[in-house]
Amino acid sequence: MEREIYRILDAAANRGREALRVIEDATRFLADSHALAQRLKDARHRFASVADRLDRRARLAARDTPGDVGTAVEADGEYRRNSLESVFVANFARLQESLRSLEEFSKVVEPSLARDWERLRYESYALEKDVFAAFFDQIGNQEGASRPQ
């Protein structure tokens, strides 16, 4: 069972890192906010720091990308984004979902990490609010996106 837990942790950690990178890139290059780009970079580095405390050998030994049944599952609209706002929405959801999985499954094999994942998850909620405010204040009107409530 431990191998399967590490497989989940590996997938969730990869998903979270990827989501943070997408959000950081969009903020850096599109919203032109140095302060927010720095916060996102710091968040990405904190995420990586916690992820690096997971047993890397166990994660890699458990990784089975070719055998992952989820790689063939597609959701409606998975390969389509209607706006830049939808990119943010999808990637913040991906980040927060991965953080929740990391928090829960870490409790089984590396319980000392659960609180760190929880803190990062709560931080991601605040970052999401600030990114949306900064991003759509600066370029939302050009994209025709409505500002989130």
Side-chain angles (χ1 to χ4, degrees), residues 23-131:
I23 295 163
E24 181 185 344
D25 284 350
T27 302
R28 177 180 170 194
F29 295 110
L30 300 173
D32 220 17
S33 169
H34 179 270
L36 209 45
Q38 185 65 55
R39 281 181 60 200
L40 284 158
K41 183 176 183 176
D42 291 345
R44 184 171 48 80
H45 284 274
R46 281 191 304 283
F47 185 103
S49 177
V50 177
D52 288 346
R53 290 172 35 216
L54 288 167
D55 185 329
R56 177 169 286 292
R57 288 180 187 213
R59 283 179 56 198
L60 292 175
R63 187 178 292 171
D64 181 16
T65 306
D68 183 349
V69 298
T71 61
V73 176
E74 292 182 17
D76 289 339
E78 186 172 347
Y79 294 100
R80 192 177 60 244
R81 296 286 180 255
N82 297 327
S83 66
L84 292 172
E85 182 177 1
S86 69
V87 171
F88 280 116
V89 169
N91 281 282
F92 269 109
R94 183 173 290 121
L95 171 62
Q96 291 154 358
E97 291 164 358
S98 74
L99 285 164
R100 188 57 181 197
S101 283
L102 287 160
E103 178 184 340
E104 291 299 325
F105 289 103
S106 287
K107 292 174 185 177
V108 177
V109 294
E110 303 211 25
S112 65
L113 300 180
R115 281 196 201 284
D116 293 326
W117 293 125
E118 180 184 43
R119 276 192 283 276
L120 287 169
R121 184 168 50 84
Y122 287 131
E123 180 184 341
S124 76
Y125 299 143
L127 273 170
E128 180 179 26
K129 181 179 178 179
D130 294 345
V131 164

